[in-house]
Amino acid sequence: MTSMRTKLQEDTHFRVLRLLQENPEMSQRELAEAVGVSVGGIHYVLKALIDKGLVKLGNFSAAEDKRRYAYVLTPKGIARKAALTRAFLVRKMEEYEALKEEIDALQVELHANAEKKLS
């Protein structure tokens, strides 16, 4: 069984990899804002992704500030993003089904209570 902390970490990694694949030139501040974590937290996530070989730093040549970097997914990073996408989708579908069942049960309960009041 995957711990809640591991799920949150996987979700964060998935979101960061997804954003970087679409926009490798995003700054750490922009990434942090988009993912909903602190800039320090995003720095930690990026370092972990780089250490795992999922992301590499490249110079963002179009930037006026040549100190800016592009965060480029490696082939290993693209494969990991695909695996995380599958896991994320399975987990979210399970959550959706559980929520749908709960909503259906509440609607039945609400309907039954309304009928009791009418009789």
Side-chain angles (χ1 to χ4, degrees):
M1 184 85 191
T2 308
S3 73
M4 182 61 97
R5 180 179 174 160
T6 301
K7 286 179 186 178
L8 288 173
Q9 185 181 50
E10 285 181 356
D11 284 357
T12 302
H13 286 190
F14 165 70
R15 292 175 197 281
V16 169
L17 289 172
R18 187 172 177 210
L19 286 166
L20 289 178
Q21 189 170 29
E22 295 169 6
N23 302 298
E25 72 281 357
M26 285 184 85
S27 70
Q28 288 188 15
R29 185 168 309 285
E30 292 167 332
L31 275 170
E33 189 174 307
V35 175
V37 298
S38 68
V39 175
I42 230 29
H43 178 79
Y44 175 80
V45 169
L46 287 170
K47 183 169 176 6
L49 293 174
I50 291 167
D51 289 347
K52 291 178 181 180
L54 305 178
V55 173
K56 67 180 180 178
L57 284 176
N59 286 332
F60 183 48
S61 57
E64 289 180 22
D65 183 355
K66 297 301 179 193
R67 295 174 295 173
R68 294 234 8 222
Y69 293 102
Y71 298 97
V72 181
L73 271 62
T74 64
K76 185 178 174 183
I78 292 168
R80 180 66 178 145
K81 179 187 165 277
L84 287 172
T85 300
R86 281 189 293 280
F88 183 83
L89 188 55
V90 166
R91 192 166 51 255
K92 292 302 177 183
M93 289 301 295
E94 289 171 355
E95 290 173 12
Y96 167 77
E97 290 300 327
L99 186 58
K100 187 174 182 306
E101 287 175 16
E102 185 176 2
I103 289 169
D104 291 344
L106 288 171
Q107 286 176 330
V108 168
E109 183 181 321
L110 187 61
H111 182 70
N113 286 340
E115 284 184 357
K116 279 183 186 178
K117 285 186 178 184
L118 292 176
S119 49

